[in-house]
Amino acid sequence: MEIKQVKGNTWVIEANQLIPFYKLDSGHCVLLDTGLLEEREGLEEALRSAGLTPAGVLCSHAHVDHCANNGYFQEKYGTKIALTAPEAGMCSSLLTLKCYFLTLSPGTVERESSCMIHTPDVIIPPEDGPFSFCGAQFRIIHTPGHSAGHICTITPDNVCYTADALLSAELMSAKLPYNLSQRLAMDSRKKLQGLNCDCYIMAHRGLCPGAEIDSLIDANQALIRRRAEEILSLVERPMTASQIDEAACTLYQLFTHKPHRSLRFERNVRFFIEYLVDAGRLAEGCQNGATYYVRAENS
């Protein structure tokens, strides 16, 4: 894994995603997320090579590609972990983790993601504003939508880590962008406008200069609206969520022989269905105990 400087003491580790960190001094840093379980060895080696020990983890949210190594660093190095209350609750047990994975069985959640279970040392306050952590002054922007307690963090160098609140320009072709609530995610992106940060780091491998952030936010919003319209166009008759999911996977050519992947596709399509229902574009009906969806103008 390569380490690159973004600005001042703000750096990124190039893993499967970008893992930012803020250097406190020559030997210590605060990580903003800890990546996937399978990246543990590489992440640890990258920090060791740079002569750094993680004094803290200011975690954006409790998803498996962002917090899988929190507990490990906490136990091995005494690293202080900070999470918002909703995210702390999410990774408190296997059953609460199931709320995140939704369509996966409890046994699958245990096998694949038990590494996420840990108790943070610090609960991040629910208000936007300054947050002192490990001797450094950060700024927290609460951006729920992708997850219940997702945050963006601005480092003392005026660099904003948007985590998964924003997709990078390279991901504007994403077929089924994941958000627990598409509407809340869109509202949260509006909060990123006007922050006047010098640079923005997207977790999934993107850096954006401050001058270009508004156009990237607009592109993110347009992507969600476009995908919602495409999924809506598939509902030509009363259809169950599973039928809409199958039609969407066919449209986007999301063909897989692995149930754990297809179940994630089903979850992501369902979030778009819920967005369309709340927007008044889809209406719900019931037949033989099953829920069917129909375009609102045809209901």
Side-chain angles (χ1 to χ4, degrees), residues 17-284:
Q17 60 285 327
L18 298 182
I19 301 176
F21 66 86
Y22 181 78
K23 289 181 69 173
L24 299 168
D25 53 42
S26 61
H28 300 87
C29 68
V30 170
L31 288 167
L32 308 183
D33 292 348
T34 60
L36 290 160
L37 177 62
E38 54 264 34
E39 296 175 314
R40 176 182 295 172
E41 186 175 329
L43 175 59
E44 196 170 20
E45 178 56 34
L47 292 171
R48 187 183 301 115
S49 297
L52 294 171
T53 298
V57 175
L58 185 43
C59 192
S60 65
H61 63 297
H63 281 182
V64 70
D65 53 340
H66 292 263
C67 77
N69 297 304
N70 285 11
Y72 173 79
F73 284 117
Q74 186 182 46
E75 182 176 344
K76 182 170 182 178
Y77 299 100
T79 304
K80 300 301 181 184
I81 310 296
L83 277 170
T84 61
E87 303 301 308
M90 188 68 68
C91 56
S92 64
S93 72
L94 288 172
L95 196 56
T96 53
L97 275 180
K98 165 116 175 78
C99 297
Y100 154 42
F101 289 103
L102 196 64
T103 55
L104 301 185
S105 71
T108 301
V109 172
E110 181 176 11
R111 287 192 300 274
E112 295 185 359
S113 303
S114 58
C115 59
M116 294 173 62
I117 298 174
H118 68 292
T119 302
D121 303 279
V122 178
I123 298 297
I124 299 167
E127 303 84 15
D128 292 349
F131 178 65
S132 182
F133 185 58
C134 296
Q137 189 83 344
F138 298 89
R139 181 181 170 195
I140 301 299
I141 309 295
H142 287 268
T143 48
H146 182 74
S147 67
H150 187 285
I151 59 167
C152 297
T153 300
I154 302 174
T155 75
D157 297 310
N158 201 34
V159 173
C160 181
Y161 174 47
T162 69
D164 283 350
L166 202 59
L167 293 176
S168 64
E170 291 77 9
L171 291 180
M172 286 301 101
S173 61
K175 295 176 179 179
L176 289 174
Y178 172 97
N179 287 297
L180 181 62
S181 167
Q182 299 291 0
R183 172 49 57 194
L184 280 179
M186 295 177 81
D187 291 344
S188 287
R189 287 189 203 104
K190 294 176 184 177
K191 293 180 66 176
L192 301 179
Q193 295 175 320
L195 292 180
N196 296 317
C197 292
D198 297 322
C199 184
Y200 295 78
I201 303 170
M202 278 64 69
H204 293 284
R205 304 186 69 84
L207 296 175
C208 180
E212 300 175 13
I213 194 63
D214 284 353
S215 61
L216 182 59
I217 291 171
D218 289 344
N220 270 256
Q221 307 289 55
L223 173 63
I224 297 303
R225 295 189 185 100
R226 185 166 65 253
R227 293 292 182 255
E229 291 296 329
E230 290 166 352
I231 291 172
L232 179 65
S233 70
L234 300 172
V235 187
E236 297 179 340
R237 66 184 191 281
M239 298 172 70
T240 65
S242 293
Q243 289 171 332
I244 298 172
D245 168 58
E246 185 175 5
C249 288
T250 300
L251 174 65
Y252 299 126
Q253 297 188 323
L254 295 171
F255 303 126
T256 180
H257 297 292
K258 299 178 179 179
H260 73 280
R261 285 183 60 81
S262 64
L263 286 168
R264 286 175 169 86
F265 297 155
E266 180 180 336
R267 174 196 62 184
N268 291 12
V269 170
R270 179 172 287 278
F271 292 152
F272 275 101
I273 293 172
E274 293 170 357
Y275 169 74
L276 290 164
V277 168
D278 287 347
R281 307 293 303 283
L282 278 179
E284 297 167 316

